[in-house]
Amino acid sequence: RYTIEGRMVVLQIVRRGESLGENTFISNTYSSTAIAEIETRAIAYPQPSLRAALREYPELAEDLRSRLVKKIQSFEISLELLQIRSAHQRLFQYLQYNAASVDGNAVNLDQTWTEIAAELDFAPRTVSRALTRLERDRRITRQAGSIGLQIL
C-alpha cells in the first residue's frame, strides 16, 4: 500500500504457491497494489466461480481457511515486530520467529536481505548494521544461506 505521503508499505511478499487478494472474496475492492519484481504468472479466479467451487469441495474451503489463518498470524507477527523500536532487536525477533518454523536454532534464508528489510520497514543498510551488531554481540552466526541463533 501507499501512505498519504506516497511511501510504499510492504504488507506481504508472496512466494510460489501463495495467494494474495483474498479480501476481494468478500469485497469487490482491491485494498492493495501487487508489484511483481520478477517474472511472474498468476491465476485470477472469478468470484462466482470460486464461491461455487468452495461450496462443492469442502476440502478446498478448509484449505483456504487454513491459509487465511496463517496469513492473519503472519500479519499479527508483523505488527508485533513493527512495535520494536531497536533495529537489532526487531531483526533478532524476526529471525527467532523464522527459526521457530525450522529447528529453533537456525534460519534458512529464502529471501534477499532487501526483501527482509522491506518486511521490517528498514532500509537495507539498517539491516546490515543490525546484523553486524547481532554478530558482534554473539547473538547470531552467519553462514552461507543461513543464520545461526544464539538464544540466551
Side-chain angles (χ1 to χ4, degrees):
R1 289 190 190 194
Y2 291 91
T3 65
I4 196 166
E5 298 90 15
R7 186 171 151 263
M8 184 183 354
V9 177
V10 175
L11 298 178
Q12 176 185 9
I13 295 177
V14 181
R15 292 176 189 77
R16 177 185 296 267
E18 294 180 343
S19 61
L20 63 113
E22 298 89 347
N23 58 329
T24 59
F25 184 68
I26 298 166
S27 166
N28 290 322
T29 307
Y30 289 101
S31 60
S32 302
T33 300
I35 300 171
E37 293 186 348
I38 61 171
E39 187 175 325
T40 303
R41 286 187 291 165
I43 300 170
Y45 297 102
Q47 195 181 68
S49 300
L50 182 58
R51 286 181 186 213
L54 293 172
R55 281 190 301 274
E56 188 172 342
Y57 302 100
E59 65 278 4
L60 182 61
E62 181 57 30
D63 180 64
L64 179 61
R65 187 194 68 75
S66 294
R67 286 174 183 253
L68 291 174
V69 167
K70 286 179 186 171
K71 192 171 279 193
I72 290 167
Q73 290 169 337
S74 176
F75 283 140
E76 289 172 344
I77 288 170
S78 294
L79 285 172
E80 176 188 331
L81 290 172
L82 292 175
Q83 299 305 308
I84 301 172
R85 297 188 52 83
S86 164
H88 73 281
Q89 290 174 341
R90 185 185 305 176
L91 179 59
F92 190 74
Q93 187 68 43
Y94 170 88
L95 293 170
Q96 279 188 303
Y97 277 129
N98 284 284
S101 64
V102 181
D103 71 0
N105 296 319
V107 179
N108 294 321
L109 300 172
D110 63 347
Q111 293 179 268
T112 67
W113 286 111
T114 302
E115 291 171 330
I116 292 170
E119 277 191 66
L120 295 173
D121 196 31
F122 288 149
R125 67 184 176 278
T126 303
V127 171
S128 179
R129 285 193 301 262
L131 283 167
T132 299
R133 175 154 181 196
L134 290 170
E135 226 173 359
R136 186 189 70 222
D137 293 348
R138 298 177 192 218
R139 303 295 311 273
I140 66 167
T141 54
R142 291 195 238 190
Q143 295 115 23
S146 70
I147 300 285
L149 301 179
Q150 307 301 319
I151 309 299
L152 301 177

